[in-house]
């Protein structure tokens, strides 16, 4: 019976598809665009199917014959369609589900996104399936936002060089999901994959430079300059949140043992992620 991976062309979903396929599992990869370059780059043994969370009924063919499923909380799944997607999975006979989302850490009942994530989590927990939540720390892939600056000028213009975060490699998040899907003993668990150590932003920039073989400089912006730079990318609420967190460089410096506990191997350091993705920054 195939394992259904949703979000299969994303960073974590793609890594999970490859890990499951490499381990010899039958994998069905769900994506909105099966003919796109990211879908075509998946292993040839993988069955790629179309489906859209904004239209849950399109998932019915993908769910046929599936007993294990990886659900990524994105798009329509984080909203009214979430409950329908979970119900369709149950009706199709899915018995084990991993859920990649995030904890409702703000506990803010006025934040519609937090409320939607909380609702999806509770719906999953109330289902008949064996569920495992994955609430990772900061994705190392977030630093890809620096790629254009580095390619253009060998520098990163950003605030808070001392901000520290245990940046997690997407392959480690995928590895935790793979184990939870294919091995017993993970039902009802909440895992928080992080990197092995908290990395300063300025140090992350230096490690990218090492990975691409040239010096990359961190140019510190004031909060006001950062707000101006981010306005074209993020909503004002998110910018306020970034700037508030930046006042305490250790807010996100916590490290979880879950990657090693679940997979039996240490989490990959950020320097390894930078080497794996060096082409993005050259």
């Amino acid at each position: 019976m195939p394992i259904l991976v949703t979000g299969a062309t994303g960073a974590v979903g793609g890594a999970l598809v490859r890990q499951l396929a490499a381990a010899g599992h039958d994998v069905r990869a769900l994506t909105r665009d099966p003919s796109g370059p990211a879908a075509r780059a998946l292993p040839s043994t993988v069955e790629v199917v179309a489906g859209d969370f904004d239209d849950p009924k399109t998932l019915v063919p993908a769910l046929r014959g599936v007993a294990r499923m990886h659900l990524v909380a994105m798009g329509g799944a984080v909203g009214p369609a979430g409950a329908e997607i979970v119900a369709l999975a149950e009706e199709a006979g899915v018995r084990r589900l991993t859920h990649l989302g995030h904890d409702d850490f703000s506990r803010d009942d006025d934040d519609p996104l937090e409320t939607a994530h909380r609702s999806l989590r509770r719906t999953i927990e109330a289902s008949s399936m064996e569920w495992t939540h994955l609430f990772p720390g900061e994705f190392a892939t977030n630093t890809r936002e620096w790629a254009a600056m580095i390619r253009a000028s060998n520098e990163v213009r950003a605030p808070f060089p001392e901000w520290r975060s245990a940046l997690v490699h997407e392959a480690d998040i995928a590895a935790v999901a793979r184990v939870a899907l294919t091995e017993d003993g993970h039902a009802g668990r909440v895992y928080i994959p992080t990197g092995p150590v908290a990395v300063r932003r300025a140090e992350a920039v230096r490690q990218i430079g090492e990975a691409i073989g040239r010096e990359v400089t961190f140019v510190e912006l004031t909060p006001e300059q950062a707000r101006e730079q981010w306005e074209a990318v993020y909503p004002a609420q998110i910018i306020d949140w970034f700037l508030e967190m930046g006042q305490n460089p250790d807010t996100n410096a916590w490290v979880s043992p879950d990657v090693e506990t679940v997979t039996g191997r240490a989490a990959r350091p950020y320097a390894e992620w930078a080497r794996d993705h060096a082409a993005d920054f050259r």
Side-chain angles (χ1 to χ4, degrees):
M1 300 177 76
I3 299 173
L4 178 64
V5 177
T6 68
T9 54
V12 175
L16 177 57
V17 166
R18 291 179 176 87
Q19 289 181 23
L20 288 169
H25 296 284
D26 290 333
V27 184
R28 184 175 292 164
L30 182 79
T31 176
R32 285 179 295 184
D33 184 10
S35 63
R40 293 199 305 271
L42 294 174
S44 59
T45 58
V46 171
E47 178 190 4
V48 181
V49 297
D52 189 339
F53 284 165
D54 291 331
D55 185 4
K57 290 295 191 293
T58 63
L59 273 62
V60 171
L63 285 163
R64 195 165 294 129
V66 168
R68 291 172 289 178
M69 174 182 178
H70 176 70
L71 176 64
V72 57
M74 61 180 290
V78 188
E84 185 176 355
I85 291 168
V86 172
L88 287 171
E90 284 188 281
E91 291 169 10
V94 175
R95 298 191 300 272
R96 181 174 297 179
L97 180 138
T98 54
H99 161 228
L100 176 61
H102 72 82
D103 193 7
D104 49 336
F105 55 86
S106 74
R107 308 298 193 271
D108 184 357
D109 291 333
D110 295 325
D111 185 333
L113 183 58
E114 290 299 325
T115 301
H117 275 286
R118 190 178 309 130
S119 176
L120 178 61
R121 174 178 177 169
R122 290 173 177 169
T123 299
I124 289 169
E125 292 174 357
S127 75
S128 62
M129 295 179 285
E130 297 178 358
W131 53 264
T132 304
H133 294 308
L134 278 67
F135 299 146
E138 184 180 4
F139 285 38
T141 53
N142 287 357
T143 60
R144 275 180 170 157
E145 69 179 9
W146 300 335
M149 288 186 284
I150 291 173
R151 290 195 299 264
S153 63
N154 289 328
E155 65 181 26
V156 170
R157 300 177 59 82
F160 313 127
E162 299 303 313
W163 170 257
R164 300 195 309 137
S165 182
L167 296 158
V168 59
H169 198 304
E170 65 274 8
D172 284 332
I173 304 171
V176 174
R178 172 180 52 79
V179 172
L181 283 167
T182 61
E183 299 180 12
D184 294 334
H186 303 281
R189 302 296 299 272
V190 177
Y191 294 126
I192 306 175
T194 71
V197 296
V199 181
R200 295 168 52 248
R201 276 301 195 260
E203 175 63 13
V205 169
R206 188 192 67 79
Q207 291 181 8
I208 292 172
E210 285 190 347
I212 65 177
R214 60 181 191 260
E215 183 178 358
V216 181
T217 303
F218 189 103
V219 178
E220 183 176 4
L221 299 182
T222 66
E224 292 73 22
Q225 290 171 325
R227 180 182 293 279
E228 183 177 347
Q229 178 171 286
W230 287 336
E231 280 177 345
V233 182
Y234 301 109
Q237 182 182 11
I238 298 298
I239 295 173
D240 291 341
W241 180 57
F242 285 163
L243 295 177
E244 181 181 348
M245 286 199 304
Q247 302 304 313
N248 181 354
D250 291 330
T251 299
N252 213 38
W254 47 271
V255 174
S256 162
D258 286 353
V259 170
E260 186 166 7
T261 298
V262 175
T263 69
R265 64 177 300 280
R268 297 164 172 84
Y270 180 77
E272 182 173 342
W273 182 91
R275 291 192 296 271
D276 289 345
H277 296 277
D280 295 337
F281 300 95
R282 289 198 175 104

